[in-house]
Amino acid sequence: MEQQAIWAIGIFLVIYALIISEKVHRTIVAMIGGLLMVALGIVDQETALHHIDFNTLGLLIGMMIIVSITADTGLFKFIAVWAAKKSKGNPVRILIALALITAIGSAFLDNVTTVLLMVPVTFSITRQLRVPPIPFLITQIIASNVGGTATLIGDPPNIMIGSAVKELTFMAFINNLAPIAALVMVIYIPIFVLLFRKQIQTTPELTKSIMDLDEKELITNHKLLRKCLTVLGLTILGFFLHQSLHLESATVALAGAFVLLLLTGEHMMEEAFTKVEWTTIFFFVGLFVLVSGLIETGVIAKLAAQAIELTNGDVVATSLLILWLSAIASAFLDNIPFVATMIPMIQEMGNMGVSDLEPLWWSLALGACLGGNGSLIGASANLIVAGMSGKEGHPIKFVQFLKYGFPLMLLSIVLSSFYVYFRYLM
Amino acid sequence: MQLTYRFDQECVQIREAADGADIEFEIKILQNGILLKGIKEVQKKFEENSVYTDVLFYAYEDHKYKVIVRKDYYVEFILALMERQILRSVEWV
């Protein structure tokens, strides 16, 4: 193996270990890893820039701007309280309603943003009902990862896969992943009820206090809300049509964001930009450059060749290997760097003669997204909810989440294995 | 030292009661205008900060609000009401 490749592997492993250890912020670590790849001449700057997927970054930034402005109107709080009232103030029904809202929101906004919007309103509703918030938060974490699986924009792994593989359009993701995500959610709901119903009992008086709430008061700016809903609707429509319009998903999201800023005026721009999660954006930049070192030195090609050797190039075995490996890895590692590494590996398998890559891509998406439910550190949404909850005096313990998340994750991966096999491999 | 406050009973009704680790307020704004705008601004202030459970607002019909205030945010909440002229005076006794 060439010296450069050994350096690339060394940097990659050290950076990966530092990301897992969480001793230093993952963005700083990933950026340093990427910069080391350039500084040591493993990739030149031009090549490094070429490897940064601006479609992923543009899509994330565009959606963050649209959602941050829309959140200012009180829309998401309105939806949550409206759903709580429709649930007749019953905590079990509210738990289901909030989980479903989280799943649907995650599919069309992205799961990290959705949980950021759902957690504050969950604290508010559970305090009013005097029930513990943790069962609600755990179900929302799980629902966010399932909902995010359903679409191209729902979860960072899907954004990255959709961006890397041009044939996998927004509609392709919905056609291929939404049915299994919906099935998993349908199976999870009664399990949530069985697991948590005893912990979330309340009194008729507190139920009534939810029913008496005036959700219309939560809408703070009707004019802005109309603009946001119009732009959000057009943006989602744009995602459905992006292939026919010959536009990348990032173009659609950024167009939506800047049209909304044009409609709302300059005063919203500064605030909207401060709400973009720049740490996440730079984490992606660092990772893309870090992985580029492995690609350019041929390490990824070697790994792909070994995977093909292991499965004899059999698509069934390779798909199931990717599905389960992604799920287990994503349960205990950050799924974003894992997917960043797997994407070029699957592309390389295509170059090596594996003709039908489609089942492999869906296996990767299902494993990485649903695998995130396996532990509290499995996905960005999990860490964000756990952080917010802990700060408010309701820490979600690693083992506590594992007890619920891991068996549910295994169940979803078993279902996904059947789905992938019967839909693509039979 | 305890914080006491006064308000104009023609314009606003305020009742507070201890509720475990929190203080629960019932606030009814009797006149549209500056006080209604003020209470919404207080709500916005606490909803936009980085603590989610410091002061929780629940809006009901007829400009009635239930506000659950964590004990460690009591003073900040009272001063925010004062700042928006919902209270007439605040005093340490």
Side-chain angles (χ1 to χ4, degrees):
Chain A
M1 193 176 275
E2 275 181 34
Q3 191 62 34
Q4 293 283 59
I6 293 167
W7 273 107
I9 295 170
I11 294 168
F12 181 82
L13 291 177
V14 170
I15 295 297
Y16 217 106
L18 285 170
I19 291 173
I20 296 165
S21 74
E22 294 179 3
K23 297 266 185 234
V24 185
H25 195 286
R26 62 181 191 165
T27 303
I28 299 171
V29 175
M31 281 301 292
I32 287 176
L35 290 166
L36 274 174
M37 291 286 184
V38 178
L40 296 175
I42 297 163
V43 283
D44 60 61
Q45 187 168 306
E46 193 62 32
T47 313
L49 283 174
H50 179 74
H51 279 280
I52 296 171
D53 184 354
F54 288 98
N55 191 50
T56 297
L57 306 184
L59 179 54
L60 285 167
I61 293 170
M63 290 310 288
M64 284 172 188
I65 291 174
I66 296 173
V67 173
S68 75
I69 298 174
T70 309
D72 271 353
T73 65
L75 173 68
F76 301 107
K77 289 178 206 153
F78 171 88
I79 293 172
V81 172
W82 174 82
K85 287 179 74 172
K86 287 282 167 203
S87 309
K88 309 263 183 237
N90 177 308
V92 174
R93 286 190 201 159
I94 293 175
L95 179 117
I96 297 169
L98 295 184
L100 288 174
I101 292 170
T102 307
I104 295 166
S106 296
F108 292 102
L109 300 178
D110 96 69
N111 60 1
V112 173
T113 311
T114 303
V115 295
L116 279 170
L117 297 168
M118 292 303 292
V119 169
V121 79
T122 301
F123 278 124
S124 176
I125 291 173
T126 53
R127 176 62 185 83
Q128 176 83 320
L129 288 169
R130 287 179 202 263
V131 290
I134 289 181
F136 293 80
L137 298 177
I138 289 178
T139 53
Q140 284 168 32
I141 290 174
I142 293 170
S144 76
N145 289 318
V146 178
T149 308
T151 67
L152 185 153
I153 56 167
D155 206 355
N158 284 4
I159 296 176
M160 293 160 78
I161 295 167
S163 189
V165 191
K166 299 299 165 222
E167 308 85 72
L168 303 185
T169 62
F170 189 82
M171 277 312 294
F173 270 84
I174 290 196
N175 287 335
N176 290 281
L177 297 183
I180 179 68
L183 176 69
V184 170
M185 202 61 208
V186 165
I187 291 172
Y188 276 1
I189 293 287
I191 299 176
F192 289 158
V193 174
L194 282 172
L195 289 173
F196 297 117
R197 71 195 154 131
K198 285 188 183 151
Q199 298 175 39
I200 52 173
Q201 306 285 332
T202 192
T203 64
E205 294 78 38
L206 294 170
T207 300
K208 187 177 177 305
S209 68
I210 290 282
M211 294 306 291
D212 291 342
L213 285 172
D214 184 7
E215 70 273 24
K216 290 182 207 84
E217 276 280 324
L218 295 168
I219 300 293
T220 53
N221 188 335
H222 286 86
K223 204 171 146 192
L224 179 62
L225 176 64
R226 277 193 293 275
K227 290 175 185 173
C228 289
L229 285 177
T230 308
V231 170
L232 194 57
L234 286 172
T235 307
I236 291 172
L237 182 68
F239 287 135
F240 277 99
L241 300 174
H242 78 106
Q243 194 187 25
S244 323
L245 298 169
H246 304 292
L247 294 173
E248 293 280 0
S249 45
T251 313
V252 175
L254 286 170
F258 283 90
V259 167
L260 187 55
L261 286 171
L262 181 72
L263 294 173
T264 54
E266 266 179 50
H267 65 285
M268 295 293 288
M269 192 174 71
E270 294 270 346
E271 203 189 325
F273 271 64
T274 59
K275 287 184 183 164
V276 171
E277 290 165 53
W278 293 108
T279 51
T280 306
I281 301 299
F282 277 98
F283 178 55
F284 275 97
V285 171
L287 278 179
F288 286 133
V289 180
L290 187 69
V291 174
S292 77
L294 297 182
I295 298 169
E296 293 296 321
T297 52
V299 176
I300 293 286
K302 270 209 167 64
L303 283 172
Q306 277 170 359
I308 290 175
E309 207 180 296
L310 184 73
T311 58
N312 290 322
D314 177 50
V315 182
V316 177
T318 313
S319 289
L320 294 178
L321 176 72
I322 289 174
L323 176 65
W324 281 91
L325 180 69
S326 310
I328 301 296
S330 296
F332 297 102
L333 307 174
D334 192 331
N335 58 10
I336 298 170
F338 179 78
V339 171
T341 319
M342 287 299 289
I343 287 172
M345 211 170 119
I346 294 178
Q347 285 169 331
E348 200 57 50
M349 287 178 182
N351 298 337
M352 289 172 179
V354 177
S355 54
D356 186 12
L357 290 182
E358 201 185 345
L360 309 191
W361 291 122
W362 301 133
S363 297
L364 177 63
L366 287 168
C369 296
L370 296 174
N373 277 330
S375 84
L376 200 54
I377 56 165
S380 309
N382 311 14
L383 288 167
I384 285 171
V385 175
M388 290 165 91
S389 184
K391 211 178 77 181
E392 301 298 325
H394 301 281
I396 303 174
K397 303 268 188 261
F398 185 87
V399 175
Q400 181 187 20
F401 184 85
L402 194 74
K403 203 171 70 181
Y404 299 112
F406 196 74
L408 286 170
M409 181 277 282
L410 287 180
L411 174 63
S412 68
I413 298 301
V414 169
L415 290 168
S416 301
S417 302
F418 283 112
Y419 178 77
V420 169
Y421 182 75
F422 286 112
R423 181 151 180 190
Y424 306 105
L425 304 171
M426 251 182 82
Chain B
M1 295 274 268
Q2 202 187 341
L3 199 59
T4 62
Y5 53 84
R6 284 193 311 113
F7 52 88
D8 184 345
Q9 298 194 3
E10 302 278 304
C11 303
V12 62
Q13 288 174 358
I14 301 179
R15 281 195 311 167
E16 70 164 79
D19 178 23
D22 304 319
I23 314 287
E24 203 171 292
F25 284 84
E26 275 181 31
I27 301 175
K28 184 170 169 131
I29 306 290
L30 301 171
Q31 290 178 352
N32 277 332
I34 190 163
L35 296 194
L36 193 60
K37 192 169 166 250
I39 193 84
K40 285 178 197 268
E41 281 172 6
V42 175
Q43 179 176 4
K44 194 169 189 288
K45 171 190 159 86
F46 286 103
E47 281 180 355
E48 284 186 350
N49 69 9
S50 59
V51 188
Y52 301 111
T53 53
D54 51 354
V55 178
L56 296 169
F57 273 79
Y58 303 91
Y60 295 94
E61 281 182 357
D62 299 329
H63 309 317
K64 234 173 99 179
Y65 294 87
K66 180 163 127 183
V67 188
I68 299 174
V69 181
R70 241 165 60 180
K71 272 189 180 143
D72 47 340
Y73 282 87
Y74 180 81
V75 172
E76 201 175 325
F77 175 67
I78 294 294
L79 294 180
L81 293 180
M82 179 71 188
E83 196 183 346
R84 269 76 178 187
Q85 300 175 32
I86 295 161
L87 301 179
R88 280 289 174 86
S89 68
V90 178
E91 193 184 0
W92 288 107
V93 289

